[in-house]
């Protein structure tokens, strides 16, 4: 890879490319991990008028202002970028031009990044195949959503599979590219301390939360046809659950990790009928206030005329039916327009079986291991220590913060850059296997079908609150609490 790679971004001037991919690539170029000889080809149906550099500057000013600051680096980076006007028809001069560019460097890896709606995956892959752009050095990266249900996901996988082998197909879940998620693997599998404690013998339950403060304004028809279960649970939350729950793989390579994750998905207890009503909370935000400012409801944000049943919040109590996790609930939760933006995994251990000091028992909290994925990477262990106060002995909870943010010569790279570089290197360990996608859909489809059959509308919660009361009940019913409700501090503060 010394002299670089070729990256073709289909939908190269679109939203994902502008907001995430181009800023990520630019930061990689500045950090020296994207070699200067690489070529970034942005395909677009309408092409681009004018020069690349000023266009990139405008894009960065909108999406990642820090990138636009270094004019020299930006000008150099712009040299690597080309916009190619490309339709989706065979026989056009545009595809010949693309092939010619790619074939002019016959040895280097090519990554085709499909940042386009999944409805265009088939025709794009068919054309890549027809032009011979699917050889061994080529990989295809598929951005979510990978379908809307099991059937459509299978169809996408079949269609893409006609042109690209599974070892060439890289299904992105950008949560897997987050540094703290990878640290979770490092932590679990390079420290004996955790493995010994990592099961229902010691762990009481696990909470995984992805909270967002933004609403859905500007997401148009996509969100209305999707909802939180498909948008966040089917992929990000279930992937995090897999990484927390999987057995130690023999090796940290793509096949071994993905086999173990798949076993977790296969062991997820299917939720059916009344179980779904009891264990899944589904809600949509109404009007409310965020940080003192009035904000509109979901209906208003999407300017919908008719009432919608799309959920913007889900909380689920799930179980993994295997030896390690029998009896340990996994509480998953995600929502838009919550008071804060963070993603966090909380491993809550059991209470000590007996407290040997009469004064200690009164404020004894269980140990918790907290993995914060955002807004910052952070690992913390919460433990009890003793205080001597005027009133005598007392226990106090302290947080042991593990400094995971780069030691030595660590280079910090964001999730998209990390995943693009892995795709270039052909490393699939942080990508999702076809079978994982399909199993996740199988589990989620049951819930969606039940909602549809029951004809019930989602609950409502006020924007700027932690979701409906029923989500709180899901925990208190089990004599448990969401971490933030139990006074959980974030960011060590
Ligand atoms: C995307 C979802 O996959 O993830 C969005 O489609 C969501 O709805 C986003 O906002 C969250 O990603 P992050 O990295 O900002 O937490």
């Amino acid at each position: 890879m010394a002299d670089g790679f070729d990256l073709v971004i289909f939908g190269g001037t679109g939203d994902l490319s502008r907001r995430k991919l181009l800023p990520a690539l630019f930061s990689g170029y500045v950090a020296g991990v994207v070699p200067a000889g690489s070529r970034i080809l942005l395909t677009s149906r309408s092409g681009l008028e004018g020069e690349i550099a000023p266009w990139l500057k405008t894009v960065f000013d909108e999406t990642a202002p820090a990138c636009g600051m270094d004019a020299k680096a930006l000008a150099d980076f712009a040299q690597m970028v080309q916009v190619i006007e490309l339709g989706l028809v065979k026989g056009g001069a545009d595809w010949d031009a693309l092939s010619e560019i790619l074939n002019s460097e016959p040895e280097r890896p090519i990554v085709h990044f499909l940042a386009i709606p999944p409805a265009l995956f088939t025709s794009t892959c068919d054309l890549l195949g027809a032009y011979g752009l699917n050889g061994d050095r080529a990989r295809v990266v598929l951005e979510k959503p990978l379908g809307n249900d099991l059937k459509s996901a299978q169809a996408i996988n079949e269609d893409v599979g006609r042109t690209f082998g599974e070892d060439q197909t890289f299904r992105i879940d950008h949560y897997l590219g987050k540094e703290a998620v990878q640290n979770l693997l490092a932590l679990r599998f390079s420290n004996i301390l955790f493995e010994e404690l990592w099961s229902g013998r010691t762990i009481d339950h696990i909470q995984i939360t992805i909270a967002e403060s933004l609403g859905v304004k500007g997401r148009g028809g996509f969100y209305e046809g999707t909802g939180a279960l498909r948008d966040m649970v089917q992929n990000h939350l279930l992937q995090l659950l897999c990484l927390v729950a999987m057995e130690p793989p023999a090796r940290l390579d793509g096949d071994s990790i993905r086999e173990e994750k798949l076993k977790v998905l296969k062991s997820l207890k299917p939720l059916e009928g009344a179980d779904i009503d009891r264990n899944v909370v589904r809600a949509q935000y109404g009007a409310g206030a965020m940080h003192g400012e009035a904000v509109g409801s979901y209906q208003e944000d999407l300017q919908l005329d008719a009432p919608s049943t799309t959920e913007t919040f889900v909380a689920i109590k799930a179980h993994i039916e295997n030896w390690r996790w029998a009896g340990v609930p996994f509480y998953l939760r995600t929502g838009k327009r919550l008071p804060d933006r963070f993603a966090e995994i909380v491993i809550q251990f059991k209470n000590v079986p007996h407290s040997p000091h009469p004064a200690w028992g009164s404020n004894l909290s269980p140990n918790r291991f907290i993995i914060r994925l955002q807004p910052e990477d952070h690992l913390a262990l919460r433990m009890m220590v003793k205080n001597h106060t005027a009133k005598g002995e007392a226990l106090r909870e302290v947080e042991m913060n593990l400094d995971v943010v780069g030691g030595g010569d660590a280079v910090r790279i964001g999730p998209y850059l990390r995943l693009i570089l892995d795709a270039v290197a052909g490393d699939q360990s942080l990508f999702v296997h076809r079978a994982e996608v399909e199993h996740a859909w199988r589990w989620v489809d049951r819930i969606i079908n039940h909602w549809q059959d029951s004809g019930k509308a989602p609950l409502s919660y006020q924007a700027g609150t932690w979701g409906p009361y029923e989500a709180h009940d899901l925990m208190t019913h089990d004599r448990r609490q969401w971490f933030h409700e139990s006074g959980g501090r974030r960011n060590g503060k």
Side-chain angles (χ1 to χ4, degrees):
M1 229 251 287
D3 65 340
F5 55 84
D6 285 344
L7 170 68
V8 188
I9 305 180
F10 291 83
T13 55
D15 188 56
L16 180 69
S17 177
R18 297 155 68 102
R19 276 190 311 112
K20 302 277 189 193
L21 307 183
L22 288 169
L25 289 160
F26 179 69
S27 71
Y29 169 71
V30 172
V33 292
V34 171
S38 304
R39 297 182 297 185
I40 300 166
L41 310 173
L42 309 179
T43 81
S44 144
R45 267 176 311 178
S46 49
L48 185 73
E49 278 176 22
E51 301 284 309
I52 299 276
W55 177 78
L56 276 176
K57 170 88 171 82
T58 320
V59 167
F60 290 157
D61 284 348
E62 260 172 38
T63 60
C67 294
M69 308 275 198
D70 183 344
K72 163 87 176 76
L74 186 63
D76 292 345
F77 176 69
Q79 302 280 325
M80 297 161 57
V81 182
Q82 293 178 51
V83 176
I84 300 183
E85 195 174 330
L86 194 83
L88 281 181
V89 201
K90 192 169 175 215
D94 45 0
W95 278 85
D96 288 332
L98 177 66
S99 311
E100 201 173 308
I101 297 174
L102 294 175
N103 291 331
S104 68
E105 290 281 358
E107 301 298 329
R108 52 168 58 174
I110 308 175
V111 172
H112 302 294
F113 195 121
L114 306 195
I116 47 180
L120 302 177
F121 285 180
T122 307
S123 43
T124 307
C125 286
D126 287 350
L127 280 160
L128 286 169
Y131 281 85
L133 299 176
N134 60 337
D136 287 349
R137 68 190 178 109
R139 281 123 217 183
V140 66
V141 175
L142 307 178
E143 178 62 39
K144 68 179 270 277
L146 279 172
N148 211 34
D149 56 12
L150 173 63
K151 204 159 151 245
S152 51
Q154 281 171 328
I156 292 175
N157 285 331
E158 283 299 316
D159 287 353
V160 173
R162 278 199 305 273
T163 307
F164 293 97
E166 183 62 31
D167 59 334
Q168 294 175 289
T169 307
F170 290 71
R171 297 175 194 82
I172 267 204
D173 184 314
H174 75 279
Y175 264 72
L176 297 185
K178 295 195 191 251
E179 191 65 21
V181 174
Q182 293 157 53
N183 243 317
L184 169 63
L185 293 181
L187 212 84
R188 276 197 64 194
F189 304 129
S190 53
N191 294 290
I192 191 72
L193 204 67
F194 291 103
E195 177 50 26
E196 289 301 311
L197 300 176
W198 214 259
S199 77
R201 280 196 302 275
T202 331
I203 291 176
D204 175 71
H205 74 274
I206 292 178
Q207 305 180 13
I208 308 180
T209 298
I210 304 180
E212 296 187 277
S213 47
L214 284 181
V216 295
K217 224 178 199 156
R219 301 219 42 201
F222 166 75
Y223 202 87
E224 175 55 10
T226 306
L229 191 63
R230 291 186 175 105
D231 187 40
M232 300 295 287
V233 178
Q234 188 274 343
N235 34 71
H236 307 320
L237 277 156
L238 287 184
Q239 282 294 318
L240 295 181
L241 174 139
C242 285
L243 293 178
V244 173
M246 73 190 205
E247 294 301 310
R251 277 173 298 281
L252 272 189
D253 59 28
D255 286 347
S256 316
I257 295 182
R258 287 149 28 128
E259 258 167 45
E260 295 305 338
K261 284 196 291 160
L262 182 60
K263 285 188 206 156
V264 175
L265 291 167
K266 287 184 177 170
S267 317
L268 260 183
K269 181 174 182 210
L271 288 170
E272 332 229 19
D275 264 358
I276 297 179
D277 299 330
R278 264 193 304 274
N279 295 303
V280 184
V281 178
R282 167 199 184 212
Q284 186 187 85
Y285 67 82
M290 301 288 303
H291 312 297
E293 278 196 24
V295 291
S297 65
Y298 173 83
Q299 300 267 144
E300 287 160 352
D301 278 356
L302 286 190
Q303 298 178 324
L304 302 173
D305 298 330
S308 146
T309 57
T310 301
E311 78 287 353
T312 58
F313 178 99
V314 204
I316 305 180
K317 178 178 167 188
H319 279 100
I320 297 171
E321 297 185 304
N322 67 15
W323 196 295
R324 189 187 285 269
W325 296 115
V328 179
F330 284 72
Y331 297 94
L332 313 178
R333 176 176 59 153
T334 185
K336 305 260 184 216
R337 280 289 189 228
L338 302 186
D340 205 356
R341 172 179 182 258
F342 70 90
E344 185 170 85
I345 303 173
V346 177
I347 320 280
Q348 181 157 327
F349 293 92
K350 292 189 169 168
N351 285 315
V352 290
H354 164 70
S355 180
H357 192 297
W360 286 1
S362 55
N363 59 344
L364 197 56
S365 295
N367 294 142
R368 293 189 185 96
F369 179 46
I370 298 142
I371 303 151
R372 284 172 204 140
L373 283 65
Q374 67 196 22
E376 68 288 308
D377 309 340
H378 189 78
L379 299 175
L381 199 53
R382 293 190 132 213
M383 303 199 294
M384 300 309 296
V385 294
K386 185 186 77 70
N387 246 10
H388 194 83
T389 68
K391 291 188 192 145
E393 297 284 309
L395 286 184
R396 167 168 78 93
E397 191 175 24
V398 290
E399 188 163 277
M400 214 168 95
N401 293 301
L402 306 181
D403 182 7
V404 284
V405 180
D409 52 4
V411 177
R412 307 259 310 144
I413 58 177
Y416 272 101
L417 178 59
R418 164 74 203 245
L419 294 171
I420 290 172
L421 294 176
D422 281 2
V424 169
D427 180 350
Q428 291 202 321
S429 31
L430 297 176
F431 291 86
V432 184
H433 192 277
R434 166 184 183 152
E436 290 177 74
V437 173
E438 295 182 3
H439 268 279
W441 273 123
R442 226 167 247 131
W443 192 75
V444 158
D445 273 359
R446 279 201 182 86
I447 303 175
I448 293 174
N449 294 341
H450 176 74
W451 286 347
Q452 274 164 3
D453 295 347
S454 75
K456 278 194 214 147
L459 302 165
S460 178
Y461 62 102
Q462 225 180 19
T465 66
W466 287 105
Y469 198 72
E470 286 75 358
H472 162 85
D473 275 357
L474 189 69
M475 281 284 186
T476 50
H477 183 263
D478 295 345
R479 296 172 183 269
R480 295 184 173 109
Q481 265 182 318
W482 292 108
F483 182 48
H484 81 271
E485 291 182 341
S486 64
R489 294 170 307 171
R490 299 196 314 100
N491 206 7
K493 288 182 196 130

